[in-house]
Amino acid sequence: MTSNNNTTTTTTDSSSASKKTPKKTNLLDPNSIKHLLDETVTEIVTSRGYKEDVRLSNVKLLIGSIIIIIALIAQFYPKKFPQNKDVLIGCIILYIIFNILLQVIIHTKEKNAILFTHPPAGSFKSTGLVVSSKLPKFSDMYTLSISSSDTKSICAGKPVQLTKSVTQWFTKDGILAEGLFWKDVNGLINKYTGESNKSK
């Protein structure tokens, strides 16, 4: 039954994708290509019932806001140098600390992740997902990875990965063949959930 439902979902999603306004990008700009694919991946994953987990993004925004406030205090503190010397030293130290903290979060928690999710609503047999992607410089090979957001959970599935040339998903005019892309991404999600189901 699960397999049939997944097949139906994939077919429905793929057909609905083909009815949308075509998504177009500049094939000479790798960043533009990756952004469009990542954006579409997020759309596909959330359409499968996985709600985005924005906690890490909120933490990054909070730290970023603190960094801006520190910079503003250093810039507009009412007293001038050398009366504001202690304040400036404190601001510089805090600025460095919070910048280092932000970089640590980006490089240890976020890495290549484009999406963190909660488990599907009402599900007690799955975890949230960490969806990551890579498109190396001077390469047309796009790699999409799906893993569990809680690798220590007994419900965590085995990580799965798809690597394919972006030329397989775009026309020569830079229009995304959404039906094909949805099919590949949904197939990867099904592969992940299949692994997860087997482990139970």
Side-chain angles (χ1 to χ4, degrees), residues 12 18 20-21 57 61 66 69 84 87 92 98-100 110-111 114 128-129 134 141-142 147 152 174 176-177 188:
T12 303
S18 62
K20 297 177 182 177
T21 303
S57 295
L61 284 173
I66 292 172
I69 291 171
N84 65 350
V87 173
I92 290 170
F98 279 103
N99 262 298
I100 291 173
E110 192 174 55
K111 298 180 182 178
I114 58 172
L129 305 179
K134 287 189 292 184
M141 302 305 291
Y142 178 82
S147 59
K152 295 181 180 179
L176 177 64
L188 189 65

Side-chain angles (χ1 to χ4, degrees), residues 3 15 25 32 37 55 59 62 84 98 103 105 111 117 122 130 141 150 168 188 192 197:
S3 176
S15 60
T25 190
S32 178
L37 292 177
R55 287 176 295 182
V59 170
L62 176 61
N84 65 350
F98 279 103
Q103 292 305 312
I105 290 174
K111 298 180 182 178
T117 80
V130 178
M141 302 305 291
D150 182 6
Q168 302 293 311
L188 189 65
Y192 173 82
N197 289 335

